Amino acid sequence: MKDLLNKYYQNHALVYKIILFIVITVTIVYLFPKGGQFKYNIQKGKPWQYENLYAPFDFAILKTDEDVSKEIEEIEANKKLYFTIREDVYEKVEQQFLDKILLIQEDSAAVGLGKNRIKTFGLKFLENVYKTGFLNKSDNDKVLKNSIITLRRGNEAEDILSDNLFTTEMLVPAIQKYFDKTRYQRLEQNFTTLFFDILEPNIFYDEEFTQKVIDEEIRGITVNKGLVTENERIIAKGDVVEGDKYEILLSLKSEYDSQLWSKSNYNWIVFGYTILVALVLLMLMLFLHRYRKNIWENNTKLTFIFFNVILIVFLVTIVQKYWVNYIYVVPIIILPIIFKAFFDARLGLFAHVVTVMILGFIVPNSFEFIFLQIIAGIVTILTVSELHRRANLFFSIIKITGVYMLSYFAFSIIQEGNAQQLKWGYFVMFALNGVLSFLSLFLILIYERTFNLVSDVSLLELSNTNSKLLRELNEKAPGTFQHSMQVANLAEASANEIGANAMLVRTGALYHDIGKMVNPMYFIENQTTSVNPHNELPPHDSAMIIVDHVLKGIEIAKKNRLPDRIIDFIRTHHGTTMVYYFYRKQNDITPDQVDPKDFTYPGPIPFSKETAILMMCDACEAASKSIKDPTAMLIDELVEKIINGQMSQGQYMNSDITFKEIQTIKKVIKKKLNNIYHLRIEYPE
């Protein structure tokens, strides 16, 4: 048991990677919709690349979503409107009529008309109105002119012409016509006032019943529109996949998927998905192990990378499950933006391609999806830079959105044969995708705090010379601060020339010597008098103080929570070089008894172009101060001597920098130092 624990502690980093790999694989497979994959790739508008295809079994030809939508639209357009008759309304109106007819009867006596005849004449008009039907005014706009509607009386229904119903607008003309050329014409105004006072509609639109009938008709729509029998030829090799053939192939795919998925096949399908996902993730692991050692050895960064991969997979699977038509709204390009911001373009593109390959298992039209996303990822890597300048991201996302739209346009005209069938909703989705991609800035800020990573945005903040730590450096070691500023300028110019991360190397240069704040007077650039404290110390102790500024710098950086990428510059800016001056002095005192390790910086040597640039610029700028009368020739010789010496010691072996780039950096340093030490002419008094 003790041996097992010892092995675990010795290999805990590897154990963590294995567990992380298994957890991510299982999680992705769990998120996947469980179903088989159709063995043929159906691409509308393209020739059938496989052999002649015959039906393996009987299956129905399914209607397309467009066919079903058209049938639903026809049902909605031709829907029958149902109205309900309220029988109690006539009884209520009749009673009100009998109560109020008395006043009219008194007026009729003055003109010599019988009271009972007046009442009977009015009641016949009411009977005529309610026998025909009086439509509710608010429902009048639902009825089209001269259309057929259905009246419901209990369980009975009757179709009638809508124009036959009474409406409020028809009452006055109807009353005039009823009273015209009768002996009761003199009382027309009285009856008009009475009828408008008591008449109430008895026919109302029954929206609930109408919708119920529509829903039943929609539910009655069949999803099949034909049948393909076993061994019937579906498509021949070379035939274009379009029209009925395309619909039959989609129907076969649907039937195949439904037959393939079963409890007996479920475990096999999951097993197959697990192998494929594990292989894809293994490729990402191997890439990091082979080409990004510093990330591979850092479990926090490794967790960060896989967390982002699974986050994108999760978002796509959720949208695919519930809102599949909006799959292109998911801003997948956030992944390469974030990885390029924190790491580099190559890792960003590789991780993006791996993620898109995983998503290709579950999205519809996988070839189109993979093509669009990989093209968008490439454009992202090529265009997104200097995220601290927000305008750069804005213009990059405009370009990415344009590529999305152009690619979709090309796919559409290939599949449809013309540009008339374009679905403009896709262009809206791509625009929304671009807007959501700006969330990458928000995520970058969160990740910086959560995973202690550094991006161009935080580098811009750190490079502010008014920050707390740099102000402290300026106060305690002003000479070192000025040296750091000069080195930062040299390093930034060199990085720009060879295409390295200029913002990163400038920020690293500003902080690379913060360890000198502990004993500032032991470094010559901070000595304001002729008194040198090293004169009072043995060479061995002086060397220890000089070498120790690297370790002190790392301690100060960690205490002030500087990112690891900045601390890397502190650790590597002297590599494994030797404090040669004090080594020679000690060797003169105690010949053949000096251990070179006591006079050597702990390292490591630079492991990136940026850290290599800093080592060159730092050494050259510091050594240039020793030239009493600087000339272009002396500066050239100095730069060549220092950088060639570092190369001969193997200081740049791990920094992935070329001889050509080193020569370019030499030229930049020489030019800048010549500018710094350029002597002005002496002006006469």
PDB file of all heavy atoms in Angstrom, residues 624-637:
ATOM      1  N   SER A 624      26.264  47.454 -23.078  1.00  0.00           N
ATOM      2  CA  SER A 624      26.544  48.683 -23.828  1.00  0.00           C
ATOM      3  C   SER A 624      26.922  49.830 -22.898  1.00  0.00           C
ATOM      4  O   SER A 624      27.602  50.776 -23.315  1.00  0.00           O
ATOM      5  CB  SER A 624      25.327  49.073 -24.673  1.00  0.00           C
ATOM      6  OG  SER A 624      24.238  49.475 -23.849  1.00  0.00           O
ATOM      7  N   LYS A 625      26.504  49.733 -21.622  1.00  0.00           N
ATOM      8  CA  LYS A 625      26.842  50.799 -20.668  1.00  0.00           C
ATOM      9  C   LYS A 625      28.335  50.804 -20.340  1.00  0.00           C
ATOM     10  O   LYS A 625      28.852  51.792 -19.818  1.00  0.00           O
ATOM     11  CB  LYS A 625      26.033  50.592 -19.366  1.00  0.00           C
ATOM     12  CG  LYS A 625      24.521  50.648 -19.548  1.00  0.00           C
ATOM     13  CD  LYS A 625      24.046  52.065 -19.778  1.00  0.00           C
ATOM     14  CE  LYS A 625      22.541  52.133 -19.989  1.00  0.00           C
ATOM     15  NZ  LYS A 625      21.753  51.638 -18.876  1.00  0.00           N
ATOM     16  N   SER A 626      29.007  49.681 -20.620  1.00  0.00           N
ATOM     17  CA  SER A 626      30.437  49.593 -20.284  1.00  0.00           C
ATOM     18  C   SER A 626      31.318  50.233 -21.354  1.00  0.00           C
ATOM     19  O   SER A 626      32.532  50.386 -21.146  1.00  0.00           O
ATOM     20  CB  SER A 626      30.831  48.122 -20.103  1.00  0.00           C
ATOM     21  OG  SER A 626      30.683  47.425 -21.331  1.00  0.00           O
ATOM     22  N   ILE A 627      30.748  50.593 -22.515  1.00  0.00           N
ATOM     23  CA  ILE A 627      31.535  51.224 -23.580  1.00  0.00           C
ATOM     24  C   ILE A 627      31.713  52.706 -23.233  1.00  0.00           C
ATOM     25  O   ILE A 627      30.729  53.447 -23.131  1.00  0.00           O
ATOM     26  CB  ILE A 627      30.837  51.074 -24.945  1.00  0.00           C
ATOM     27  CG1 ILE A 627      30.573  49.597 -25.263  1.00  0.00           C
ATOM     28  CG2 ILE A 627      31.681  51.706 -26.036  1.00  0.00           C
ATOM     29  CD1 ILE A 627      29.817  49.375 -26.551  1.00  0.00           C
ATOM     30  N   LYS A 628      32.948  53.111 -23.062  1.00  0.00           N
ATOM     31  CA  LYS A 628      33.198  54.504 -22.658  1.00  0.00           C
ATOM     32  C   LYS A 628      32.920  55.481 -23.798  1.00  0.00           C
ATOM     33  O   LYS A 628      32.284  56.516 -23.596  1.00  0.00           O
ATOM     34  CB  LYS A 628      34.639  54.649 -22.168  1.00  0.00           C
ATOM     35  CG  LYS A 628      34.924  53.863 -20.890  1.00  0.00           C
ATOM     36  CD  LYS A 628      36.363  54.067 -20.424  1.00  0.00           C
ATOM     37  CE  LYS A 628      36.619  53.309 -19.129  1.00  0.00           C
ATOM     38  NZ  LYS A 628      38.025  53.469 -18.647  1.00  0.00           N
ATOM     39  N   ASP A 629      33.420  55.188 -24.969  1.00  0.00           N
ATOM     40  CA  ASP A 629      33.194  56.053 -26.136  1.00  0.00           C
ATOM     41  C   ASP A 629      32.512  55.219 -27.222  1.00  0.00           C
ATOM     42  O   ASP A 629      33.185  54.667 -28.117  1.00  0.00           O
ATOM     43  CB  ASP A 629      34.509  56.625 -26.655  1.00  0.00           C
ATOM     44  CG  ASP A 629      35.183  57.516 -25.625  1.00  0.00           C
ATOM     45  OD1 ASP A 629      34.478  58.380 -25.075  1.00  0.00           O
ATOM     46  OD2 ASP A 629      36.393  57.328 -25.383  1.00  0.00           O
ATOM     47  N   PRO A 630      31.195  55.078 -27.127  1.00  0.00           N
ATOM     48  CA  PRO A 630      30.491  54.178 -28.060  1.00  0.00           C
ATOM     49  C   PRO A 630      30.553  54.668 -29.500  1.00  0.00           C
ATOM     50  O   PRO A 630      30.372  55.842 -29.794  1.00  0.00           O
ATOM     51  CB  PRO A 630      29.048  54.187 -27.543  1.00  0.00           C
ATOM     52  CG  PRO A 630      28.926  55.437 -26.746  1.00  0.00           C
ATOM     53  CD  PRO A 630      30.275  55.725 -26.175  1.00  0.00           C
ATOM     54  N   THR A 631      30.846  53.738 -30.376  1.00  0.00           N
ATOM     55  CA  THR A 631      30.798  53.989 -31.815  1.00  0.00           C
ATOM     56  C   THR A 631      29.998  52.859 -32.448  1.00  0.00           C
ATOM     57  O   THR A 631      29.753  51.811 -31.819  1.00  0.00           O
ATOM     58  CB  THR A 631      32.205  54.012 -32.423  1.00  0.00           C
ATOM     59  OG1 THR A 631      32.799  52.715 -32.265  1.00  0.00           O
ATOM     60  CG2 THR A 631      33.069  55.075 -31.774  1.00  0.00           C
ATOM     61  N   ALA A 632      29.595  53.055 -33.687  1.00  0.00           N
ATOM     62  CA  ALA A 632      28.811  52.038 -34.384  1.00  0.00           C
ATOM     63  C   ALA A 632      29.567  50.721 -34.458  1.00  0.00           C
ATOM     64  O   ALA A 632      28.988  49.639 -34.277  1.00  0.00           O
ATOM     65  CB  ALA A 632      28.438  52.530 -35.782  1.00  0.00           C
ATOM     66  N   MET A 633      30.883  50.788 -34.701  1.00  0.00           N
ATOM     67  CA  MET A 633      31.676  49.569 -34.820  1.00  0.00           C
ATOM     68  C   MET A 633      31.751  48.830 -33.492  1.00  0.00           C
ATOM     69  O   MET A 633      31.596  47.600 -33.438  1.00  0.00           O
ATOM     70  CB  MET A 633      33.088  49.904 -35.308  1.00  0.00           C
ATOM     71  CG  MET A 633      33.964  48.676 -35.539  1.00  0.00           C
ATOM     72  SD  MET A 633      35.596  49.112 -36.184  1.00  0.00           S
ATOM     73  CE  MET A 633      35.144  49.797 -37.769  1.00  0.00           C
ATOM     74  N   LEU A 634      31.991  49.591 -32.415  1.00  0.00           N
ATOM     75  CA  LEU A 634      32.077  48.961 -31.100  1.00  0.00           C
ATOM     76  C   LEU A 634      30.758  48.313 -30.696  1.00  0.00           C
ATOM     77  O   LEU A 634      30.730  47.219 -30.125  1.00  0.00           O
ATOM     78  CB  LEU A 634      32.495  49.995 -30.052  1.00  0.00           C
ATOM     79  CG  LEU A 634      33.944  50.488 -30.119  1.00  0.00           C
ATOM     80  CD1 LEU A 634      34.174  51.596 -29.101  1.00  0.00           C
ATOM     81  CD2 LEU A 634      34.903  49.320 -29.878  1.00  0.00           C
ATOM     82  N   ILE A 635      29.656  49.008 -30.996  1.00  0.00           N
ATOM     83  CA  ILE A 635      28.336  48.467 -30.663  1.00  0.00           C
ATOM     84  C   ILE A 635      28.067  47.199 -31.465  1.00  0.00           C
ATOM     85  O   ILE A 635      27.571  46.193 -30.927  1.00  0.00           O
ATOM     86  CB  ILE A 635      27.238  49.525 -30.910  1.00  0.00           C
ATOM     87  CG1 ILE A 635      27.343  50.629 -29.843  1.00  0.00           C
ATOM     88  CG2 ILE A 635      25.844  48.884 -30.884  1.00  0.00           C
ATOM     89  CD1 ILE A 635      26.413  51.801 -30.082  1.00  0.00           C
ATOM     90  N   ASP A 636      28.427  47.204 -32.755  1.00  0.00           N
ATOM     91  CA  ASP A 636      28.234  46.014 -33.588  1.00  0.00           C
ATOM     92  C   ASP A 636      29.032  44.835 -33.039  1.00  0.00           C
ATOM     93  O   ASP A 636      28.517  43.711 -32.933  1.00  0.00           O
ATOM     94  CB  ASP A 636      28.666  46.290 -35.030  1.00  0.00           C
ATOM     95  CG  ASP A 636      27.660  47.131 -35.785  1.00  0.00           C
ATOM     96  OD1 ASP A 636      26.685  47.589 -35.146  1.00  0.00           O
ATOM     97  OD2 ASP A 636      27.831  47.340 -37.003  1.00  0.00           O
ATOM     98  N   GLU A 637      30.277  45.086 -32.680  1.00  0.00           N
ATOM     99  CA  GLU A 637      31.125  44.015 -32.157  1.00  0.00           C
ATOM    100  C   GLU A 637      30.578  43.479 -30.840  1.00  0.00           C
ATOM    101  O   GLU A 637      30.596  42.266 -30.592  1.00  0.00           O
ATOM    102  CB  GLU A 637      32.554  44.535 -31.963  1.00  0.00           C
ATOM    103  CG  GLU A 637      33.281  44.815 -33.267  1.00  0.00           C
ATOM    104  CD  GLU A 637      34.653  45.439 -33.040  1.00  0.00           C
ATOM    105  OE1 GLU A 637      34.982  45.705 -31.855  1.00  0.00           O
ATOM    106  OE2 GLU A 637      35.390  45.658 -34.015  1.00  0.00           O
TER     107      GLU A 637
END
